[in-house]
Amino acid sequence: MLGPLLILQLAISSTRPDSSYASPALRVFIEAAAEANRAPPASLRGYRARVESELSLLIRDTLGRERTAQVEQIAMNANWQRGYDYALRVVGYRSQTVGVPYSALSFARSWTIPYLYGDRLTLGVDFARTDDQRRKRDSSDTTGAQRKKGRAADTLHAVHPLASDRDRYYRFSGGDTIAVLRTRERAIPIVRVHVQAMLDSAPPGSRIAAFAGEIDFDATRHQIVRMRGQFVATAEPRRNRLSVARIPGLVAVAYVELVNAEVDGQYWLPAFQRSEFQAAFAPLGANRSIFRLVSHFAEFEIGRQLASDSSVADSAVVRLATRDDAVTYRRRLSFAPADSVSAYRGWLQALGIATSNVSGSDFDDLAPDVWRATGPPRFEFAPTKLEEMFRFNRVEGAYTGFAVSERFRDAFPGLTAHAYGGWAWSEKTPRGGLSAAYRSRSLTTTARVERTLASTNDFTAPLENGTEGFGALVGIDDQDYVDRRLAAVSLTRIVGSTRGALIIVEGGVGEDRPERARLSQSPFDIGNFRFNRASIAGQYVRGAATIELHPDVTGIFLEPGIGLIASYEVGQGQIAWQRAEVTIAARKNFSDFVISTRAQGGLVSGRTLPPQQLFELGGENALPGYEYKAFAGDRAAAAGVLTSYTFPVLRRPFRVVGSLFLPGLSPGLAAGIQGGWTEASTEAARVAIQQLDPSAPPDCVTLNVCPVPLSIPTNGVRATVDARVTFFGGLVGIGVARAIDHAAPWRLAFRFSQEY
């Protein structure tokens, strides 16, 4: 679903002003710039360059933390010749993924442009679907005759802000000098002009795109140095009733940043190009999907007629656009032989660096109204996460609800109110909450009151939010739950940026009540549900503090670096405890070697301990070689390390059917070790472990009549190892695994994604 979401364009319209220029001086400047940028300089006959790109798929949460699910790195030789093709030949390819089963090439074929001259611009991406493909054209047409009948249906050619018909579609303002760049030859004053797209004058029913943002010019030569903004478009014709752009609650934006550098002291040519597609679908929550394309150009060769790479025949050649009034060149993407692509070693950057060096927050000032913090108040029917609208588990059964928000914006800057509520149908119980958040610069203050079904699982992976999900519909519910009521106030401080550090402090009152499983099977009779582990009831006053360093780094997703999360929690009242946890995550790429790790530890203390505060290990969350929550204690640690190597063979992506590409077989080897430890260090911990069993009498320890406990301490470190053969950039792995803390046979193991 991500591909279609990411290729949507925003439609904007407004009243056209009397003048397209904020001042007569700006009009003169833009006219001079339009003349200078009408076409590449006559002396520029062509060029060769190296291009290195990363195509990545990410998820961005409401705090701005980004999780990279897939990254593909592509090395290309670019060859542009005046009056001929802009040829891109893929000479190197490698990828990593944590669960995306297709290549981004399935919906993007070309994502760079050779220059910023001319009357029209492309988005920076040519999307795969064409009218020819919809008609299922004969694949034996090698001449391209049928291909010339239509353009790529999803590729928008935007009116250039310096086009001859610019006054019809644009308004210009600004024109101030913002900086002076200095080279060995000269000082270059940089002038910034703000560009506003005005599409109300477009012919009715037409599909026209435009650029909205800012342009930096070399004020001396009137050449474009940088363009940063978004592409906007008129609405799709009403006859296209199946357009996903018509889906209520769906917002998608196409951002772009195009940076030129002066080459040979004469020509402003591409140095950095970035296209980014952000999309959010309100019913799924406030997280955004991001498709990011980042490219760097290097090693330009200028000034002579250049030979074409097309002398090497290859079945993977794809012609992307035909000559017409809007396009002055034809883009062609081809692949070098598979063994050459696989063996490529000339990478300019480590895999993932180009993706992590930028952030989706870079474009916050250009965001559409629905994402902006300023403007008239907005009332929205939208959840902050999917579970506010729907969830399914063995305690509640199906839960359905609603969620609304009031963003006061200019009426009360920084204030947002949110409410959600619904009904658990099997439990026959209402749940919901109210919250108000006030954000001032890097500090957010939140007050909330809610009744939730909280998960008691420990050491959970990023993006796992307890009851959120649909696993129980197919018989998988690896959670235990407690009915929790809370009233709390929290402060969240962003230090530097969300990639630097987060500090969260919270205080309030709460009450826990035990829950039981009301369903024994899923609606489709797939598997039997476990009973819900016991907890004890009680009211308490609670305080907590958390610090996150480099929150993007999780050790599970693909961001390289080192991250840390440390938290401390205390509760006092009818139930009381103190609890501390720390998580350290790291990931490092050494060319084709990757090492990733995630280690977690914690302790809980108190004169009496609520069983819902114990640490429990075993099953898919930690120690996958053991039974579900086989171990428990008041002290615990769990860690996993994965080392992998990808062979330099079979890396070139390949077409499966239609426009569907897979990211290359990319075989490799990986070895992992997972370990865990728990200890019941006090009598209170041992009593709490017995209380996990809902059938155990409350005073069974005193009477010495307790049943066999559901969980026990590990009595040392429990560990398993595995070795696997991996495919598709680590997407799947097949191998063997065994426990190493005791004599055990090897067993067949199947691993998905970067699982430890």
Side-chain angles (χ1 to χ4, degrees), residues 459-503:
F459 300 157
T460 56
L463 300 183
E464 287 190 8
N465 291 319
T467 58
E468 184 172 349
F470 304 94
L473 288 172
V474 293
I476 302 173
D477 192 355
D478 290 332
Q479 307 274 346
D480 287 296
Y481 306 99
V482 61
D483 184 15
R484 180 163 292 162
R485 297 108 189 274
L486 282 175
V489 176
S490 65
L491 300 175
T492 301
R493 174 81 176 186
I494 298 175
V495 181
S497 70
T498 53
R499 295 196 165 179
L502 293 173
I503 299 174

Short mmCIF file of all heavy atoms in Angstrom, two decimals, residues 459-503:
data_model
loop_
_atom_site.label_atom_id
_atom_site.label_comp_id
_atom_site.label_asym_id
_atom_site.label_seq_id
_atom_site.Cartn_x
_atom_site.Cartn_y
_atom_site.Cartn_z
N PHE A 459 10.57 -5.63 27.66
CA PHE A 459 11.60 -5.61 26.63
C PHE A 459 11.01 -5.72 25.23
O PHE A 459 11.47 -6.51 24.39
CB PHE A 459 12.62 -6.73 26.85
CG PHE A 459 13.33 -6.67 28.17
CD1 PHE A 459 13.91 -7.80 28.72
CD2 PHE A 459 13.42 -5.47 28.87
CE1 PHE A 459 14.58 -7.75 29.93
CE2 PHE A 459 14.09 -5.41 30.10
CZ PHE A 459 14.68 -6.55 30.63
N THR A 460 9.96 -4.96 24.97
CA THR A 460 9.29 -5.03 23.67
C THR A 460 10.08 -4.26 22.62
O THR A 460 10.84 -3.34 22.93
CB THR A 460 7.87 -4.47 23.75
OG1 THR A 460 7.91 -3.14 24.26
CG2 THR A 460 7.01 -5.32 24.66
N ALA A 461 9.87 -4.61 21.38
CA ALA A 461 10.57 -3.98 20.26
C ALA A 461 9.93 -2.63 19.94
O ALA A 461 8.78 -2.37 20.30
CB ALA A 461 10.51 -4.89 19.03
N PRO A 462 10.66 -1.74 19.25
CA PRO A 462 10.08 -0.44 18.85
C PRO A 462 8.83 -0.64 18.00
O PRO A 462 8.71 -1.60 17.25
CB PRO A 462 11.21 0.19 18.01
CG PRO A 462 12.45 -0.48 18.46
CD PRO A 462 12.07 -1.88 18.83
N LEU A 463 7.90 0.28 18.15
CA LEU A 463 6.62 0.32 17.44
C LEU A 463 5.62 -0.70 17.95
O LEU A 463 4.50 -0.77 17.45
CB LEU A 463 6.81 0.13 15.92
CG LEU A 463 7.67 1.18 15.22
CD1 LEU A 463 7.70 0.90 13.73
CD2 LEU A 463 7.18 2.59 15.49
N GLU A 464 5.99 -1.54 18.92
CA GLU A 464 5.02 -2.44 19.52
C GLU A 464 4.30 -1.71 20.65
O GLU A 464 4.93 -1.26 21.61
CB GLU A 464 5.69 -3.70 20.07
CG GLU A 464 6.15 -4.66 18.98
CD GLU A 464 6.58 -6.00 19.56
OE1 GLU A 464 6.38 -6.22 20.77
OE2 GLU A 464 7.11 -6.82 18.80
N ASN A 465 2.98 -1.59 20.53
CA ASN A 465 2.21 -0.81 21.50
C ASN A 465 1.16 -1.67 22.19
O ASN A 465 -0.02 -1.37 22.18
CB ASN A 465 1.54 0.38 20.82
CG ASN A 465 2.55 1.42 20.38
OD1 ASN A 465 3.49 1.70 21.11
ND2 ASN A 465 2.37 1.99 19.20
N GLY A 466 1.60 -2.76 22.74
CA GLY A 466 0.67 -3.57 23.53
C GLY A 466 -0.46 -4.14 22.72
O GLY A 466 -0.28 -5.04 21.91
N THR A 467 -1.68 -3.62 22.90
CA THR A 467 -2.86 -4.22 22.30
C THR A 467 -2.99 -3.89 20.82
O THR A 467 -3.86 -4.43 20.16
CB THR A 467 -4.12 -3.72 23.02
OG1 THR A 467 -4.16 -2.29 22.96
CG2 THR A 467 -4.11 -4.15 24.47
N GLU A 468 -2.18 -2.99 20.29
CA GLU A 468 -2.34 -2.61 18.89
C GLU A 468 -1.99 -3.79 17.99
O GLU A 468 -0.96 -4.44 18.17
CB GLU A 468 -1.42 -1.43 18.56
CG GLU A 468 -1.61 -0.91 17.15
CD GLU A 468 -0.83 0.37 16.93
OE1 GLU A 468 -0.35 0.95 17.91
OE2 GLU A 468 -0.72 0.78 15.77
N GLY A 469 -2.82 -4.07 17.01
CA GLY A 469 -2.53 -5.14 16.08
C GLY A 469 -3.72 -6.03 15.85
O GLY A 469 -4.77 -5.90 16.46
N PHE A 470 -3.49 -6.99 14.94
CA PHE A 470 -4.57 -7.87 14.53
C PHE A 470 -4.18 -9.34 14.67
O PHE A 470 -4.85 -10.22 14.15
CB PHE A 470 -4.94 -7.59 13.06
CG PHE A 470 -5.31 -6.15 12.81
CD1 PHE A 470 -4.37 -5.24 12.38
CD2 PHE A 470 -6.60 -5.71 13.03
CE1 PHE A 470 -4.71 -3.91 12.15
CE2 PHE A 470 -6.95 -4.39 12.81
CZ PHE A 470 -6.00 -3.49 12.37
N GLY A 471 -3.06 -9.60 15.38
CA GLY A 471 -2.60 -10.98 15.48
C GLY A 471 -3.61 -11.91 16.10
O GLY A 471 -3.72 -13.08 15.71
N ALA A 472 -4.38 -11.42 17.07
CA ALA A 472 -5.35 -12.29 17.74
C ALA A 472 -6.45 -12.75 16.79
O ALA A 472 -7.11 -13.77 17.04
CB ALA A 472 -5.97 -11.57 18.94
N LEU A 473 -6.67 -12.02 15.71
CA LEU A 473 -7.67 -12.47 14.74
C LEU A 473 -7.29 -13.80 14.11
O LEU A 473 -8.15 -14.57 13.68
CB LEU A 473 -7.85 -11.41 13.64
CG LEU A 473 -8.58 -10.12 14.06
CD1 LEU A 473 -8.49 -9.09 12.95
CD2 LEU A 473 -10.03 -10.43 14.39
N VAL A 474 -5.98 -14.09 14.05
CA VAL A 474 -5.52 -15.36 13.49
C VAL A 474 -4.89 -16.23 14.57
O VAL A 474 -4.06 -17.09 14.29
CB VAL A 474 -4.52 -15.11 12.33
CG1 VAL A 474 -5.23 -14.48 11.16
CG2 VAL A 474 -3.35 -14.25 12.79
N GLY A 475 -5.28 -16.00 15.82
CA GLY A 475 -4.88 -16.90 16.89
C GLY A 475 -3.58 -16.57 17.59
O GLY A 475 -3.09 -17.38 18.39
N ILE A 476 -2.97 -15.40 17.32
CA ILE A 476 -1.70 -15.03 17.96
C ILE A 476 -1.93 -13.84 18.88
O ILE A 476 -2.22 -12.74 18.41
CB ILE A 476 -0.63 -14.69 16.90
CG1 ILE A 476 -0.42 -15.86 15.95
CG2 ILE A 476 0.68 -14.29 17.58
CD1 ILE A 476 0.48 -15.53 14.78
N ASP A 477 -1.83 -14.08 20.18
CA ASP A 477 -1.99 -13.00 21.15
C ASP A 477 -0.93 -13.19 22.24
O ASP A 477 -1.20 -13.73 23.31
CB ASP A 477 -3.39 -13.00 21.75
CG ASP A 477 -3.68 -11.73 22.55
OD1 ASP A 477 -2.76 -10.92 22.70
OD2 ASP A 477 -4.81 -11.57 23.02
N ASP A 478 0.30 -12.79 21.93
CA ASP A 478 1.42 -12.97 22.85
C ASP A 478 1.57 -11.75 23.76
O ASP A 478 2.61 -11.10 23.82
CB ASP A 478 2.71 -13.22 22.08
CG ASP A 478 2.71 -14.57 21.40
OD1 ASP A 478 2.04 -15.49 21.90
OD2 ASP A 478 3.39 -14.72 20.36
N GLN A 479 0.49 -11.43 24.46
CA GLN A 479 0.48 -10.34 25.42
C GLN A 479 -0.29 -10.81 26.65
O GLN A 479 -1.11 -11.72 26.59
CB GLN A 479 -0.25 -9.11 24.84
CG GLN A 479 0.25 -8.62 23.50
CD GLN A 479 1.42 -7.66 23.61
OE1 GLN A 479 1.69 -7.15 24.70
NE2 GLN A 479 2.09 -7.40 22.52
N ASP A 480 0.00 -10.17 27.78
CA ASP A 480 -0.85 -10.28 28.96
C ASP A 480 -1.27 -8.87 29.35
O ASP A 480 -0.53 -7.91 29.12
CB ASP A 480 -0.12 -10.98 30.11
CG ASP A 480 0.03 -12.46 29.85
OD1 ASP A 480 -1.01 -13.15 29.79
OD2 ASP A 480 1.17 -12.94 29.69
N TYR A 481 -2.45 -8.74 29.96
CA TYR A 481 -3.07 -7.42 30.08
C TYR A 481 -3.53 -7.14 31.51
O TYR A 481 -3.86 -8.05 32.28
CB TYR A 481 -4.28 -7.33 29.15
CG TYR A 481 -3.98 -7.66 27.71
CD1 TYR A 481 -4.27 -8.92 27.20
CD2 TYR A 481 -3.41 -6.71 26.87
CE1 TYR A 481 -4.00 -9.23 25.88
CE2 TYR A 481 -3.14 -7.01 25.54
CZ TYR A 481 -3.43 -8.27 25.05
OH TYR A 481 -3.16 -8.57 23.74
N VAL A 482 -3.58 -5.83 31.80
CA VAL A 482 -4.13 -5.34 33.05
C VAL A 482 -5.03 -4.16 32.73
O VAL A 482 -4.72 -3.36 31.83
CB VAL A 482 -3.00 -4.95 34.04
CG1 VAL A 482 -2.14 -3.84 33.48
CG2 VAL A 482 -3.57 -4.55 35.39
N ASP A 483 -6.14 -4.05 33.43
CA ASP A 483 -7.05 -2.91 33.27
C ASP A 483 -6.46 -1.75 34.07
O ASP A 483 -6.38 -1.81 35.30
CB ASP A 483 -8.43 -3.30 33.79
CG ASP A 483 -9.45 -2.19 33.57
OD1 ASP A 483 -9.17 -1.27 32.77
OD2 ASP A 483 -10.53 -2.24 34.20
N ARG A 484 -6.07 -0.68 33.39
CA ARG A 484 -5.35 0.41 34.05
C ARG A 484 -6.08 1.73 33.84
O ARG A 484 -6.44 2.08 32.71
CB ARG A 484 -3.92 0.48 33.51
CG ARG A 484 -3.05 1.57 34.12
CD ARG A 484 -1.59 1.28 33.83
NE ARG A 484 -1.14 0.09 34.55
CZ ARG A 484 -0.04 -0.60 34.25
NH1 ARG A 484 0.70 -0.23 33.21
NH2 ARG A 484 0.31 -1.66 34.96
N ARG A 485 -6.26 2.48 34.95
CA ARG A 485 -6.83 3.83 34.89
C ARG A 485 -5.74 4.80 35.33
O ARG A 485 -5.08 4.58 36.36
CB ARG A 485 -8.04 3.95 35.81
CG ARG A 485 -9.20 3.02 35.38
CD ARG A 485 -9.36 1.86 36.34
NE ARG A 485 -10.29 0.84 35.87
CZ ARG A 485 -11.60 0.89 36.06
NH1 ARG A 485 -12.14 1.90 36.71
NH2 ARG A 485 -12.37 -0.08 35.62
N LEU A 486 -5.57 5.88 34.60
CA LEU A 486 -4.49 6.82 34.86
C LEU A 486 -4.97 8.26 34.75
O LEU A 486 -5.82 8.57 33.89
CB LEU A 486 -3.33 6.62 33.87
CG LEU A 486 -2.37 5.46 34.07
CD1 LEU A 486 -1.39 5.40 32.91
CD2 LEU A 486 -1.61 5.59 35.38
N ALA A 487 -4.40 9.10 35.59
CA ALA A 487 -4.50 10.55 35.43
C ALA A 487 -3.09 11.07 35.64
O ALA A 487 -2.50 10.88 36.71
CB ALA A 487 -5.47 11.16 36.44
N ALA A 488 -2.51 11.71 34.62
CA ALA A 488 -1.09 12.03 34.68
C ALA A 488 -0.79 13.31 33.92
O ALA A 488 -1.53 13.72 33.01
CB ALA A 488 -0.25 10.88 34.11
N VAL A 489 0.32 13.93 34.30
CA VAL A 489 0.88 15.08 33.60
C VAL A 489 2.31 14.74 33.24
O VAL A 489 3.07 14.22 34.07
CB VAL A 489 0.83 16.35 34.47
CG1 VAL A 489 1.51 17.52 33.75
CG2 VAL A 489 -0.61 16.71 34.83
N SER A 490 2.70 15.02 31.99
CA SER A 490 4.06 14.70 31.55
C SER A 490 4.68 15.89 30.84
O SER A 490 3.98 16.73 30.27
CB SER A 490 4.04 13.49 30.61
OG SER A 490 3.35 13.79 29.41
N LEU A 491 6.02 15.94 30.91
CA LEU A 491 6.81 16.94 30.20
C LEU A 491 7.77 16.20 29.27
O LEU A 491 8.48 15.28 29.72
CB LEU A 491 7.61 17.81 31.18
CG LEU A 491 6.81 18.61 32.21
CD1 LEU A 491 7.77 19.31 33.16
CD2 LEU A 491 5.91 19.62 31.52
N THR A 492 7.78 16.58 27.99
CA THR A 492 8.68 15.98 27.02
C THR A 492 9.59 17.07 26.45
O THR A 492 9.10 18.04 25.87
CB THR A 492 7.90 15.31 25.87
OG1 THR A 492 7.05 14.31 26.41
CG2 THR A 492 8.86 14.67 24.87
N ARG A 493 10.88 16.90 26.63
CA ARG A 493 11.85 17.89 26.18
C ARG A 493 12.71 17.29 25.08
O ARG A 493 13.28 16.21 25.23
CB ARG A 493 12.74 18.30 27.35
CG ARG A 493 13.90 19.21 26.98
CD ARG A 493 13.44 20.64 26.86
NE ARG A 493 14.54 21.55 26.60
CZ ARG A 493 14.43 22.87 26.55
NH1 ARG A 493 13.25 23.42 26.78
NH2 ARG A 493 15.47 23.63 26.30
N ILE A 494 12.76 17.98 23.93
CA ILE A 494 13.63 17.59 22.83
C ILE A 494 14.93 18.36 22.98
O ILE A 494 14.94 19.59 23.00
CB ILE A 494 12.98 17.89 21.47
CG1 ILE A 494 11.69 17.09 21.31
CG2 ILE A 494 13.94 17.56 20.34
CD1 ILE A 494 10.91 17.41 20.06
N VAL A 495 16.04 17.65 23.09
CA VAL A 495 17.35 18.27 23.25
C VAL A 495 18.05 18.27 21.90
O VAL A 495 18.40 17.22 21.37
CB VAL A 495 18.20 17.52 24.29
CG1 VAL A 495 19.55 18.19 24.47
CG2 VAL A 495 17.47 17.45 25.62
N GLY A 496 18.24 19.46 21.33
CA GLY A 496 18.84 19.57 20.00
C GLY A 496 17.81 19.26 18.94
O GLY A 496 17.16 20.14 18.40
N SER A 497 17.63 18.00 18.63
CA SER A 497 16.61 17.53 17.70
C SER A 497 16.18 16.15 18.17
O SER A 497 16.76 15.59 19.11
CB SER A 497 17.16 17.45 16.27
OG SER A 497 18.10 16.40 16.16
N THR A 498 15.15 15.61 17.52
CA THR A 498 14.70 14.28 17.91
C THR A 498 15.75 13.22 17.63
O THR A 498 15.66 12.11 18.14
CB THR A 498 13.40 13.90 17.17
OG1 THR A 498 13.61 14.06 15.75
CG2 THR A 498 12.25 14.79 17.62
N ARG A 499 16.75 13.55 16.83
CA ARG A 499 17.85 12.61 16.61
C ARG A 499 18.94 12.76 17.67
O ARG A 499 19.87 11.97 17.72
CB ARG A 499 18.44 12.82 15.22
CG ARG A 499 17.45 12.47 14.13
CD ARG A 499 18.11 12.31 12.80
NE ARG A 499 17.22 11.64 11.89
CZ ARG A 499 17.52 11.38 10.62
NH1 ARG A 499 18.69 11.73 10.15
NH2 ARG A 499 16.66 10.77 9.84
N GLY A 500 18.81 13.79 18.51
CA GLY A 500 19.78 13.98 19.58
C GLY A 500 19.34 13.29 20.85
O GLY A 500 19.87 12.24 21.22
N ALA A 501 18.35 13.86 21.55
CA ALA A 501 17.91 13.27 22.80
C ALA A 501 16.50 13.70 23.13
O ALA A 501 16.03 14.77 22.72
CB ALA A 501 18.86 13.66 23.94
N LEU A 502 15.80 12.86 23.88
CA LEU A 502 14.48 13.14 24.43
C LEU A 502 14.51 12.90 25.93
O LEU A 502 15.09 11.91 26.39
CB LEU A 502 13.41 12.23 23.80
CG LEU A 502 13.09 12.39 22.32
CD1 LEU A 502 12.15 11.27 21.88
CD2 LEU A 502 12.44 13.73 22.06
N ILE A 503 13.91 13.81 26.68
CA ILE A 503 13.76 13.63 28.12
C ILE A 503 12.27 13.72 28.44
O ILE A 503 11.61 14.69 28.08
CB ILE A 503 14.54 14.71 28.91
CG1 ILE A 503 16.04 14.62 28.58
CG2 ILE A 503 14.32 14.53 30.40
CD1 ILE A 503 16.85 15.74 29.21
#
